[in-house]
Amino acid sequence: MKVLVPVKRVLDYNVKPRVKADGTGVDLANVKMSMNPFDEIAVEEAIRLKEKGVATEIVVVSIGEQKAQETLRTALAMGADRAILITSEGPVEPLGVAKLLAKVAEEEQPGLIILGKQAIDDDNNQTGQMLGALLGWGQGTFASKVEVSGDTVDVTREVDGGLETVKLNIPAIVTTDLRLNEPRYASLPNIMKAKSKPLAQKTPADYGVDLTPRLTVVKVAEPAKRTAGVKVADVDELVGRLKALGVAK
């Protein structure tokens, strides 16, 4: 079974985002970029399926600028077999990403598509669900456990009330949550090997997909700074202040 894993290049989660002075977006100049953490978990899960003998090939795909090759090489160093970069210099909305991934899936015919539940830059949490609708495949979102058995896959999902397990017929789509696994570090020999693994470059036009944005960003602003807290002498004073604010009766 082939596994397709979409990955995204995002601002590293250890870096504090800075808003551009003109409020048009986040300043990405001279800052560290890395693979989206949820996508890294998806790559790890695909590798574990291959180690179990369930998956035969892992294909990673990214949509973005040329620098996204670095992200794909990281996935190849972790253990993916080959990569596809669909170049796009401008921002790509979730629907555009889903349309491109649907075309890639039709071409590659994977048994599973495993991707992060959301990207940490826009936090949309839409691509997996849109892709499932476009392909007509079953989907297991927010996965904390994935078990493949024959032509089905059991996905344990994290929901508000606890855990829910769904059984999906393959081909299927799985989006990963944080507790699914702990991604491995790529070893130096694997990093060297990744340089020679195949990385194909495509464009949206190759798939006949129009990525013209449907949304316009009006303004980006930093959250308001929190005001200083106030110490109270005892519980009675605390209750009195809460009543004054209308929080307590």
Side-chain angles (χ1 to χ4, degrees):
M1 179 179 69
K2 184 187 296 185
V3 180
L4 182 67
V5 185
V7 297
K8 186 178 183 181
R9 180 176 183 264
V10 299
L11 183 70
D12 189 88
Y13 67 91
N14 288 310
V15 176
K16 183 180 179 181
R18 300 191 309 271
V19 176
K20 292 180 180 179
D22 58 3
T24 57
V26 176
D27 187 3
L28 300 179
N30 302 315
V31 295
K32 183 181 179 183
M33 306 290 284
S34 61
M35 187 188 304
N36 178 48
F38 291 103
D39 296 340
E40 197 173 8
I41 291 170
V43 174
E44 174 65 27
E45 191 63 23
I47 295 169
R48 294 188 183 190
L49 290 175
K50 188 176 180 182
E51 290 172 343
K52 293 176 182 177
V54 174
T56 55
E57 184 183 26
I58 301 170
V59 182
V60 288
V61 57
S62 189
I63 301 162
E65 57 187 27
Q66 285 290 337
K67 291 181 180 179
Q69 288 188 50
E70 302 169 6
T71 304
L72 290 171
R73 292 295 180 193
T74 299
L76 292 172
M78 290 174 66
D81 297 295
R82 58 187 176 91
I84 302 170
L85 172 61
I86 304 174
T87 56
S88 175
E89 295 304 319
V92 185
E93 294 174 357
L95 181 58
V97 174
K99 287 181 176 179
L100 282 172
L101 293 179
K103 294 292 186 181
V104 174
E106 291 172 6
E107 188 177 86
E108 294 289 340
Q109 293 295 306
L112 276 179
I113 300 178
I114 307 177
L115 66 160
K117 69 171 185 175
Q118 66 195 71
I120 63 171
D121 53 358
D122 52 24
D123 278 331
N124 281 318
N125 183 19
Q126 295 174 338
T127 302
Q129 292 88 332
M130 288 178 172
L131 181 57
L134 290 172
L135 292 174
W137 294 5
Q139 56 180 288
T141 55
F142 317 129
S144 62
K145 187 177 181 181
V146 177
E147 292 181 314
V148 179
S149 177
D151 294 331
T152 62
V153 55
D154 290 341
V155 179
T156 301
R157 305 178 59 242
E158 296 193 357
V159 295
D160 291 341
L163 299 176
E164 174 187 71
T165 301
V166 295
K167 184 183 289 290
L168 309 172
N169 292 322
I170 293 174
I173 295 169
V174 175
T175 71
T176 61
D177 214 331
L178 285 174
R179 280 155 289 279
L180 179 58
N181 60 50
E182 183 73 28
R184 69 192 66 191
Y185 290 102
S187 64
L188 182 58
N190 286 340
I191 293 173
M192 300 305 293
K193 290 177 183 177
K195 295 180 180 180
S196 61
K197 289 184 177 180
L199 192 159
Q201 294 206 34
K202 303 275 189 176
T203 65
D206 293 333
Y207 295 101
V209 176
D210 180 14
L211 296 183
T212 303
R214 289 173 164 79
L215 304 174
T216 301
V217 176
V218 177
K219 184 180 179 182
V220 177
E222 293 186 4
K225 292 183 179 180
R226 294 181 62 182
T227 56
V230 178
K231 291 185 178 180
V232 294
D234 50 35
V235 174
D236 291 336
E237 184 181 351
L238 172 61
V239 173
R241 288 179 175 271
L242 291 175
K243 286 181 177 179
L245 293 172
V247 178
K249 295 182 179 179

